[in-house]
């Protein structure tokens, strides 16, 4: 018996996965109906710290509404999609998710330096104007090397090593281990934009949660003793969720829980119970707090749903699934605007996202399957600054291309939406039933 999915969930799942194809860099893209562009950003990127050296880094996904590519945001987005594949593979029987993810993985692997460390991002020095990708003539630079980026690669390449097969799996496991060795020597090298670089920083003062996630995935895939020792020593520090690009410790906790670690299981389900209780008291039946309405709040909401569906894998509970469905309903129109935040889906949906291809292609409707950022209580763009004082955080949103702080799109927001749709579409056991696989409660230290 399947978890009930919303009408059209399969169609929407295909749309949201297809949206990643529409973010591809380095190749021509054609989604049909006029949504197309030519091969873009094909020139080798200049290495910002090596006197004119260039690197052939020509794949990956455009990160958001701009054309930059950022390892830390690619990490959480790629990891979330691989989590969806591992937990709900049947939902992708007619969707080639792994081929899409591989395009980005290959770019991430190309960002690894010879010593195992990973460059933080590949961008121009400033954001380009609203032009199509193949018309962007900005010079591309590979910038910075840091622990957060390196740990993100270590985590997702460890996952890829067990999900893919053949030479690509081996390449990923080697890359993960090389990154791990670099992290042992450089546990918290922080990234800051150098002078003259104005693109997204994705700065993070603490890379310990990224390293913890890497340890969990590398231990799962390769059985590496050093990774396990680090995981056991630091797992108690992991956040319970929801994850974000800056806080990925919950992914380590959930990995341990799914492997049957009793303490991690208890923490995961206890946190899910709190999320459910909060959603029951909310006017819109969602677990969002005032502080959750930030840049990308719809991604926060989708990550709450991911948290609940992971908990449902550990201890099936109809309440977890019900609140996950309520979150999806909120994203698709049961909200103060009566609007679907997913482009191209629903009777009334976002029309003017901050997304360069949507704004430059000459087509009235935006590229489909993209989740808009959503309400943002912080007045971080000119449109939001004009909103009346006292506007409730849940209403701090404008369907306006210029409202980049509420109406941008991003791969790390689309990824948990894919996870949510896959979980509801899957043939997992009904909430409350006995799960297909046994999750024996044990201690990881007993291995």
């Amino acid at each position: 018996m399947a978890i009930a999915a919303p009408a059209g969930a399969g169609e929407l799942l295909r749309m949201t996965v297809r949206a990643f194809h529409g973010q591809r860099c380095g190749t021509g893209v054609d989604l049909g109906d006029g949504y197309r562009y030519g091969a873009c950003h094909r020139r080798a990127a200049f290495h910002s710290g090596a006197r004119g050296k260039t690197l052939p880094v020509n794949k990956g996904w455009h990160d958001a509404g701009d054309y930059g590519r950022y390892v830390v945001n690619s990490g959480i987005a790629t990891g979330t999609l691989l989590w969806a594949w591992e937990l709900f593979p049947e939902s992708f029987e007619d969707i080639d998710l792994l081929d899409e993810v591989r395009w980005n993985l290959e770019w991430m692997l190309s960002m690894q330096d010879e010593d195992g460390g990973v460059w933080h991002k590949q961008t121009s020095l400033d954001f380009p104007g609203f032009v199509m990708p193949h018309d962007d003539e900005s010079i591309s630079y590979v910038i910075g090397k840091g622990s957060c980026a390196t740990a993100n690669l270590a985590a997702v390449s460890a996952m890829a090593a067990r999900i893919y097969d053949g030479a690509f799996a081996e390449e990923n496991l080697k890359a993960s281990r090389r990154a791990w060795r670099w992290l042992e020597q450089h546990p918290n090298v922080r990234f800051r934009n150098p002078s003259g670089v104005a693109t997204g920083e994705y700065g993070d003062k603490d890379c310990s949660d990224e390293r913890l996630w890497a340890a969990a995935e590398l231990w799962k895939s390769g059985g590496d003793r050093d990774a396990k020792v680090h995981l056991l020593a630091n797992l108690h520090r992991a956040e319970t969720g929801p994850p974000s690009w800056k806080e990925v410790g919950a992914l380590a906790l959930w990995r341990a829980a799914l492997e049957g670690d009793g303490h991690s299981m208890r923490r995961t389900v206890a946190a899910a119970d709190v999320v459910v209780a909060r959603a029951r008291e909310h006017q819109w039946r969602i677990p969002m707090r005032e502080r959750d309405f930030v840049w990308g709040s719809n991604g926060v909401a989708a990550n709450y749903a991911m948290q609940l569906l992971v908990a449902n894998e550990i201890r099936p509970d109809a309440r977890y699934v019900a609140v996950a469905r309520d979150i999806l309903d909120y994203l698709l129109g049961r909200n103060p605007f009566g609007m679907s935040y997913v482009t191209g889906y629903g009777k009334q949906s976002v029309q003017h996202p901050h997304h360069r291809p949507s704004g430059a292609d000459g087509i009235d409707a935006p590229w489909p399957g993209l989740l808009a950022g959503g309400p943002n209580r912080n007045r971080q763009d000119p449109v939001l600054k004009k909103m009346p004082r006292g506007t409730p955080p849940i209403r701090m949103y404008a369907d306006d291309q210029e409202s980049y702080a509420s109406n941008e799109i991003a791969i790390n927001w689309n990824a948990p939406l894919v996870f949510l749709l896959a979980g509801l579409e899957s043939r997992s056991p009904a909430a409350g039933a006995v799960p297909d696989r046994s999750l024996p409660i044990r201690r990881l230290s007993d291995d």
Side-chain angles (χ1 to χ4, degrees), residues 364-383:
D364 288 340
W367 283 54
L370 297 166
L371 179 64
N376 180 1
R377 66 187 177 90
N378 301 306
R379 299 170 183 269
Q380 293 168 290
D381 65 48
V383 178

Side-chain angles (χ1 to χ4, degrees), residues 2 8 25 32 36 41 61 91 143 172-173 181 204 209 215 230 240-241 255 298 325 327 368 370 372 411 416 430:
C25 188
R36 65 172 66 92
H41 308 108
W61 295 316
S91 295
I143 303 170
N172 274 278
L173 187 56
R181 288 194 295 271
D204 190 344
D209 53 314
H230 183 84
T240 56
R255 177 61 61 205
N298 284 341
R325 282 182 54 85
I327 291 170
L370 297 166
I411 56 175

